[in-house]
Each structure stands twice: as structure tokens, then as C-alpha cells.
Amino acid sequence: MASEIKKKAFWRAVIAEFLAMIFFVFISIDKTNETVSRSQDIVKVSLAFGLAIATMAQSVGHISGAHLNPAVTLGCLLSCQISILKAIMYIIAQCLGAVVATAILSGITSNVENNTLGLNGLSTGVTAGQGLGVEIMVTFQLVLCVVAVTDKRRHDISGSIPLAIGLSVALGHLIAVSKTKNKTNSNYPCTIILHSVQENNQYNTAPMY
């Protein structure tokens, strides 16, 4: 572990996660910041997230694996694909990147009326428990997809891995946006920037199950 932290490749990977997270959150949350009440809006948001994650996975996947989600990093740690030290540094980089991206977006959209920065929220008729369940399920399918397609022990994978991950993200949003304004990531960046903590506990914890 001590030798790993001295390697340039280690820090390149951490920096890649940080920068990719900035671009991913900025692009995707900007689209989520719009109203998502109509079915076509939900499709737009889902495609924005899916295309953003696929682009970032293609761009930095060879450097860091393009986890871009603490839950994915935890899944890779549990499947012995990365070390504990790298997992910790990845999560720190992801959190910092998300906060920076949200702060930038907040500054750019400061004049927008009722600017929520894509803050998650329960739809009418959806309870906190139901929202938690939805978040757990869509996050699980994403982590399962990422861990499966990036497993170096597999030799039967064909096609585009970034596209598969992007489709998994889009699928999760198609299912959950109408219920929780899902982002398959914890809600902490918006909470920090907006200084709001209402109804956010399920979104901060569910992606880590």
C-alpha cells in the first residue's frame, strides 16, 4: 500500500476521477435542473446522464476505470479489483469533484428562478421508504453492470464497455427519475451548495448499499 501511493499512475488515476466527476456532474445536473414532469423530459435527463457517463468512461476509463460513483468504487473494492487505499482516494476525489461541479453550475445558473441544481426529491405519493428502495435497486443494477464488464478475469466481453455502462445509467434514470429525480449518486453536492438537508438522507445512503 505504501509503495502504491508513490506511483505516478496512482495519482493520475485519482486526478482523472476528480476531473471526470466535474465534467460528468456539470453536464448531467445541468439537464436535471430543468423540469422533469413530462415523459420526454425524463428521456432527455436519462440520455444526458447515460451519454455523459459513457463519454467520461471512454475518456478516462483506461486511466482510472472511470468509477465516478462511490458505490461503484465500493463494488470494485469488494470484488478485489482495487486496493483499499485507492478506493478511499477515489471516493474523496469523486466527492470533491461533484462539489466543485455543483458550485460552478450554481454560479452559472444563479439567476435561474427556483434553481434546485437537480436536487433529488420524492414525487407525489412516493414515501421515503419507497424512494430508498428505488434508489437501492437502480444503484445495484449499475454497480453490477460496472463490476461485471470491467472484470479483468473475464474473456467473453464484446462490444463497447463505456456504452454498456452508459446504458445502465440511462436505464436507472428511466426507472427512477419520475419517482425520486434519481441521479444514482448521493445528494451531498446539492445539499452542500444549497444548504438544504430535507429529504436527502435516503439519497445519500441508498447508493452505498
Side-chain angles (χ1 to χ4, degrees):
M1 185 177 295
S3 60
E4 183 180 31
I5 201 171
K6 297 178 182 179
K7 296 180 179 178
K8 290 183 179 179
F10 175 86
W11 291 108
R12 284 183 63 218
V14 172
I15 294 172
E17 282 291 305
F18 172 73
L19 295 176
M21 196 67 169
I22 291 177
F23 286 112
F24 169 60
V25 170
F26 180 86
I27 294 169
S28 53
I29 300 303
D30 182 51
K31 176 56 64 175
T32 308
N33 206 24
E34 300 175 5
T35 302
V36 292
S37 58
R38 298 177 299 174
S39 59
Q40 58 264 43
D41 292 324
I42 294 174
V43 172
K44 289 178 182 178
V45 169
S46 301
L47 286 176
F49 273 86
L51 291 173
I53 199 70
T55 301
M56 290 300 102
Q58 184 69 49
S59 301
V60 303
H62 63 293
I63 300 175
S64 67
H67 294 184
L68 304 181
N69 189 317
V72 172
T73 297
L74 182 59
C76 290
L77 173 63
L78 295 177
S79 61
C80 300
Q81 294 190 36
I82 60 173
S83 67
I84 295 177
L85 177 61
K86 180 172 283 189
I88 293 173
M89 294 304 299
Y90 270 23
I91 291 174
I92 292 174
Q94 291 157 5
C95 292
L96 290 177
V99 171
V100 169
T102 307
I104 294 172
L105 187 60
S106 177
I108 293 174
T109 62
S110 59
N111 295 327
V112 175
E113 186 177 356
N114 297 322
N115 185 16
T116 65
L117 298 175
L119 190 69
N120 286 356
L122 297 173
S123 298
T124 303
V126 179
T127 67
Q130 292 170 336
L132 177 64
V134 170
E135 291 285 318
I136 290 174
M137 292 302 295
V138 297
T139 302
F140 179 80
Q141 66 86 23
L142 169 61
V143 174
L144 178 63
C145 174
V146 173
V147 171
V149 299
T150 58
D151 189 347
K152 296 180 180 180
R153 294 166 292 188
R154 291 186 61 181
H155 303 287
D156 60 333
I157 299 175
S158 59
S160 172
I161 292 177
L163 179 59
I165 297 172
L167 289 174
S168 178
V169 170
L171 174 62
H173 285 77
L174 284 170
I175 295 170
V177 164
S178 62
K179 300 176 181 64
T180 65
K181 298 181 182 178
N182 163 267
K183 296 194 292 292
T184 53
N185 261 309
S186 60
N187 222 21
Y188 65 87
C190 303
T191 302
I192 291 174
I193 302 302
L194 293 173
H195 304 289
S196 171
V197 294
Q198 294 181 345
E199 289 188 342
N200 287 333
N201 288 337
Q202 64 264 39
Y203 307 109
N204 293 328
T205 58
M208 298 306 295
Y209 277 80

